[in-house]
Amino acid sequence: MSTCFFIGHREAPDSLLPKLSAEIERHITEYGVTEFVVGRYGRFDSLAAKCVKAAKKRHPGVTLTLLLSYHPYDRPTPTPPGFDGTFYPPGMETVPKRAAIIRANHYMVDHSDYLELLRKLRALPGVKKVFVRSGIRFDYLLADRDDEFFRELVEHHISGQLKVAPEHISDPVLRCMGKPENAVYNRFVEKYKKLNRDMGKNQFLVPYLMSSHPGSTLKEAVELAEYLRDLGYMPEQVQDFYPTPSTLSTVMYYTGLDPRNMKPVYVCRNPHEKAMQRALIQYRNPKNYDLVREALILAGRGDLIGFGKKCLIRPKKGEQVKVKEKTSAQRPAKHKTIRNVHKKKGNKV
């Protein structure tokens, strides 16, 4: 039995119905899908359920299951009309309610079919290597029930480097993007490094990053530059945000509001500021010096202009470098030495 699980946005237009219905029909007739699982917390979910119910009339063997994000004891949910049952993922009992929907979605996603395909490709006569360059959702990878796919990916399918898309490291910006918090990406990185160490491999991660997404001020852009500094990496290409139709990010861009909670969102629309945010990601490029310097000054981060290890750029010739005065708590305590004691005695005379 093959299963298809729907994940979509809360908002979805009725114009999706014909395309969605056609895809469901194709999955039944071409891929042999007999079970469809859908949630109930958005317009897309209701559209998907409507299409599957119609398909069930044409294909009696097809079933429709409702995915429960909350424990039936806390929120009793009878099986809705047209559904064949409900499913509550095991192990969800300890998940905080604020993360229940996301965790339930993650449970339903695995890489078993992908792994089977990669194994078949490796077994083909004459095929020496099958490489995966990008397209891996690191958050879904961490949600797998075991590390089987992750291990085989690292062992057989990476040609020196894997491209992934954290897109940013600031949690407020990531929330606007609809992506998991930065701690999730950090866990992925640590796991990736550990698997490489265990296998005696030295393979790298190449992060895709985005500048001036709604929610990103110069402050968040500087934080991203500092992250890259600590990583010792400067991306050759940077994706600058541009609004595209039918996305939440575009709604934020044009309205200045997050449609999920109607709270104001900072939007960078000024071309010069967009250039500064982009330049910060490539702060090592000499062509970006003036933009980076201006951005740091405007962000109140002149401390990153100087000769220290943590500085992003050096000051201009003849420019005074402002060094923050150390507080008494930060100053190293004076040790009693023969020389210090001698000086003190001399001062008394």
Side-chain angles (χ1 to χ4, degrees):
M1 178 181 68
S2 294
T3 302
C4 175
F5 172 56
F6 293 97
I7 298 179
H9 292 293
R10 288 178 179 269
E11 301 302 326
D14 287 342
S15 57
L16 278 179
L17 276 171
K19 184 180 288 188
L20 194 55
S21 181
E23 281 301 312
I24 289 170
E25 185 68 22
R26 189 163 70 91
H27 276 64
I28 295 171
T29 56
E30 295 184 22
Y31 303 141
V33 173
T34 55
E35 181 186 28
F36 291 88
V37 182
V38 65
R40 62 180 307 177
Y41 293 100
R43 179 64 179 157
F44 181 82
D45 289 336
S46 61
L47 290 178
K50 183 177 181 179
C51 291
V52 175
K53 289 175 185 178
K56 286 176 63 179
K57 296 175 181 178
R58 301 188 297 272
H59 305 279
V62 170
T63 61
L64 177 60
T65 302
L66 176 66
L67 176 68
L68 302 179
S69 301
Y70 304 101
H71 198 284
Y73 178 82
D74 296 325
R75 298 190 184 184
T77 306
T79 302
F83 283 77
D84 298 287
T86 60
F87 173 68
Y88 181 70
M92 287 276 296
E93 295 83 2
T94 58
V95 175
K97 289 184 178 180
R98 66 178 182 276
I101 295 176
I102 295 174
R103 190 65 64 85
N105 287 344
H106 283 182
Y107 182 89
M108 296 303 299
V109 177
D110 66 31
H111 294 80
S112 55
D113 291 341
Y114 194 179
L115 182 58
E116 184 181 353
L117 175 62
L118 290 174
R119 286 171 175 170
K120 286 180 179 179
L121 291 173
R122 291 206 311 262
L124 288 174
V127 174
K128 293 183 178 180
K129 292 287 184 181
V130 180
F131 292 127
V132 176
R133 296 293 301 275
S134 62
I136 296 294
R137 280 287 300 262
F138 61 85
D139 49 340
Y140 286 176
L141 202 59
L142 292 178
D144 274 352
R145 298 175 184 83
D146 55 51
D147 293 339
E148 186 178 20
F149 175 78
F150 205 165
R151 283 187 163 277
E152 292 205 21
L153 177 71
V154 172
E155 186 175 3
H156 299 293
H157 301 290
I158 297 175
S159 177
Q161 61 184 31
L162 177 67
K163 296 180 180 179
V164 289
E167 295 191 297
H168 216 284
I169 53 88
S170 170
D171 285 345
V173 180
L174 290 170
R175 281 194 291 272
C176 290
M177 291 178 168
K179 297 183 76 74
E181 59 187 12
N182 188 46
V184 177
Y185 178 67
N186 289 337
R187 288 201 301 271
F188 166 78
V189 172
E190 290 305 313
K191 199 167 187 177
Y192 179 83
K193 289 179 178 178
K194 183 179 185 303
L195 288 173
N196 273 277
R197 285 195 302 269
D198 293 346
M199 296 175 189
K201 293 182 177 289
N202 187 29
Q203 300 174 140
F204 302 95
L205 288 172
V206 177
Y208 283 123
L209 300 167
M210 180 180 288
S211 62
S212 64
H213 187 279
S216 176
T217 68
L218 283 177
K219 173 180 175 291
E220 284 77 27
V222 171
E223 288 175 2
L224 182 54
E226 290 184 286
Y227 171 80
L228 292 171
R229 174 204 62 200
D230 296 341
L231 197 63
Y233 169 72
M234 187 183 81
E236 295 180 4
Q237 295 180 335
V238 177
Q239 183 180 353
D240 195 13
F241 173 79
Y242 285 98
T244 53
S246 304
T247 64
L248 287 176
S249 298
T250 297
V251 175
M252 294 178 197
Y253 180 83
Y254 283 108
T255 66
L257 298 171
D258 185 337
R260 296 167 296 186
N261 53 30
M262 298 308 292
K263 291 182 179 179
V265 174
Y266 177 80
V267 178
C268 175
R269 297 189 183 93
N270 183 285
H272 188 66
E273 186 187 342
K274 288 174 75 72
M276 285 192 290
Q277 291 206 24
R278 183 186 182 95
L280 279 164
I281 297 179
Q282 295 176 312
Y283 68 89
R284 292 184 185 178
N285 188 334
K287 295 179 180 178
N288 292 333
Y289 178 87
D290 289 337
L291 285 169
V292 172
R293 182 177 178 276
E294 182 182 356
L296 293 175
I297 292 171
L298 287 174
R301 295 303 308 272
D303 57 300
L304 295 176
I305 303 173
F307 298 96
K309 290 182 179 179
K310 295 293 185 180
C311 291
L312 298 182
I313 57 173
R314 293 188 173 188
K316 288 184 175 182
K317 190 174 181 180
E319 182 182 14
Q320 292 293 324
V321 181
K322 291 182 179 180
V323 180
K324 287 184 177 179
E325 290 290 332
K326 289 184 178 180
T327 64
S328 57
Q330 291 174 318
R331 291 192 194 104
K334 266 193 173 183
H335 297 288
K336 277 192 175 182
T337 63
I338 295 175
R339 186 177 178 183
N340 287 340
V341 172
H342 177 72
K343 279 185 177 180
K344 286 180 180 178
K345 287 181 179 178
N347 289 336
K348 292 179 180 178
V349 177

